[in-house]
């Protein structure tokens, strides 16, 4: 048994043009369940509808905003990593101190184990940081250097650290806030920042020297001391204003120059 099927004119879409297909000859098809099942015609696209794919809008400030956001994210990430490392180091020392107090291990063994594990823990923590923050690293190294060489019996270390911590630090704050008038030989520095560095570096140095004198560590001739500290502050301010940041960091140049000038004046 066969079913006589006659094809009808159909429309096909090709290159946005409808083509009319004429019916061909009549075909005798065998009758089956598959042939009796109607097949839905394929959907025809609407030639009047055009879908345009547009890239997301990006303003001219997008790269700068992205870089600023990335920098902020890096800072917060490294701050969190530093906090985690400090907490881990404290937990390590506390654990061995607890074991020593309970007489579970000897004090000499506890000290050596802390010596070994703290170094390994410090090296193991490097991958969790995004970058090496050289400024804070130099800052800490100068603090350690002044403590090892001068300690509290010499005004040299105090003046050097006062110029780095107080003078240079306050200069950056004041310069960013009121630094509209730039220094001619360095457009990255301002007169407001340099003047504030000289004043606050001088005042903080005198204040720290007075503090140690009251405690009995220093005995100074204050008339000459004020003059010497003023000269150190002036030299340190000039060095901080130079366009040498790309060559040497301020956290190195300012305290080292202050240290050299103060040592040449105080001699100890």
């Amino acid at each position: 048994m066969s079913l006589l099927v006659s094809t009808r004119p159909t429309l096909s879409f090709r290159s946005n043009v409808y083509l009319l297909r004429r019916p061909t000859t009549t075909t005798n098809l065998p009758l089956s369940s598959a042939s009796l099942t109607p097949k839905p015609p394929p959907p025809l696209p609407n030639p009047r509808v055009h879908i345009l794919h547009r890239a997301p809008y990006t303003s001219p400030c997008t790269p700068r905003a992205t870089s600023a956001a990335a920098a902020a994210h890096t800072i917060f990430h490294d701050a969190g990593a530093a906090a985690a490392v400090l907490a881990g180091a404290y937990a390590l020392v506390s654990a061995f101190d607890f074991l020593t107090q309970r007489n579970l291990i000897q004090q000499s063994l506890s000290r050596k184990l802390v010596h070994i594990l703290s170094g390994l823990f410090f090296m193991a923590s490097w991958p969790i940081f995004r970058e090496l923050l050289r400024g804070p690293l130099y800052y800490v190294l100068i603090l350690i250097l002044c403590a090892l060489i001068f300690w509290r019996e010499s005004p040299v270390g105090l003046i050097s650290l006062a110029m780095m911590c107080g003078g240079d630090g306050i200069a950056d704050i004041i310069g960013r806030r009121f630094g509209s008038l730039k220094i001619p030989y360095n457009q990255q520095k301002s007169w407001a920042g340099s003047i504030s560095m000289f004043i606050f570096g001088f005042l903080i140095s005198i204040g720290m020297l007075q503090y140690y004198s009251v405690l009995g560590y220093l005995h100074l001739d204050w008339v000459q001391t004020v003059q010497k500290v003023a000269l150190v502050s002036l030299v340190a301010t000039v060095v901080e204003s130079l366009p040498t940041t790309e060559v040497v960091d301020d956290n190195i140049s300012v305290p080292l120059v202050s240290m050299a000038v103060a040592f040449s004046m105080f001699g100890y």
Side-chain angles (χ1 to χ4, degrees):
M1 178 179 181
S2 63
L3 177 65
L4 183 62
V5 179
S6 176
T7 58
R8 300 176 61 184
T10 58
L11 294 177
S12 65
F13 181 82
R14 182 178 301 172
S15 302
N16 294 334
V17 178
Y18 284 106
L19 300 178
L20 180 62
R21 293 182 178 178
R22 296 291 184 182
T24 58
T25 59
T26 303
T27 307
N28 292 329
L29 299 177
L31 184 59
S32 63
S33 58
S35 62
L36 296 178
T37 304
K39 295 182 180 180
L44 296 178
N46 189 349
R48 297 183 180 180
V49 177
H50 300 279
I51 301 176
L52 300 179
H53 298 279
R54 300 175 59 186
Y57 171 76
T58 56
S59 66
C61 299
T62 299
R64 182 177 299 177
T66 303
S67 61
H73 183 268
T74 299
I75 293 175
F76 283 113
H77 178 90
D78 287 344
V85 171
L86 290 175
Y90 180 79
L92 178 67
V93 175
S94 299
F96 281 96
D97 182 60
F98 175 81
L99 295 176
T100 302
Q101 292 180 357
R102 296 297 186 276
N103 294 324
L104 298 177
I105 60 175
Q106 296 179 353
Q107 184 176 3
S108 58
L109 177 60
S110 174
R111 184 171 61 250
K112 289 300 181 182
L113 290 176
V114 170
H115 176 83
I116 296 170
L117 295 177
S118 60
L120 297 177
F121 176 73
F122 178 65
M123 288 188 292
S125 67
W126 289 357
I128 68 176
F129 289 89
R130 294 288 179 87
E131 63 179 89
L132 177 62
L133 302 178
R134 290 179 174 84
L137 176 62
Y138 299 151
Y139 187 91
V140 174
L141 291 178
I142 292 297
L143 291 176
I144 296 174
L145 179 65
C146 289
L148 291 176
I149 297 177
F150 301 106
W151 195 224
R152 56 195 180 197
E153 288 80 14
S154 172
V156 177
L158 298 176
I159 296 173
S160 302
L161 295 182
M163 292 305 304
M164 180 183 68
C165 303
D168 189 22
I170 295 178
D172 184 69
I173 297 174
I174 300 298
R176 291 178 184 274
R177 183 68 176 84
F178 305 102
S180 58
L181 186 60
K182 303 297 182 181
I183 297 178
Y185 55 85
N186 188 0
Q187 293 299 308
Q188 302 298 323
K189 304 291 182 178
S190 64
W191 285 107
S194 295
I195 293 173
S196 63
M197 176 173 179
F198 174 80
I199 295 175
F200 284 96
F202 172 80
L203 293 177
I204 294 175
S205 297
I206 294 297
M208 294 303 299
L209 293 176
Q210 177 65 27
Y211 170 69
Y212 275 79
S213 297
V214 171
L215 295 178
Y217 294 109
L218 297 176
H219 303 280
L220 302 171
D221 182 349
W222 282 103
V223 175
Q224 295 183 359
T225 298
V226 170
Q227 297 174 354
K228 294 176 181 179
V229 172
L231 182 57
V232 175
S233 301
L234 178 61
V235 174
T237 301
V238 173
V239 170
E240 193 272 341
S241 68
L242 296 176
T244 57
T245 306
E246 300 297 331
V247 180
V248 58
D249 193 273
D250 291 344
N251 290 319
I252 296 179
S253 60
V254 171
L256 289 184
V257 170
S258 302
M259 195 182 302
V261 177
F263 186 80
S264 65
M265 292 183 174
F266 289 94
Y268 64 98

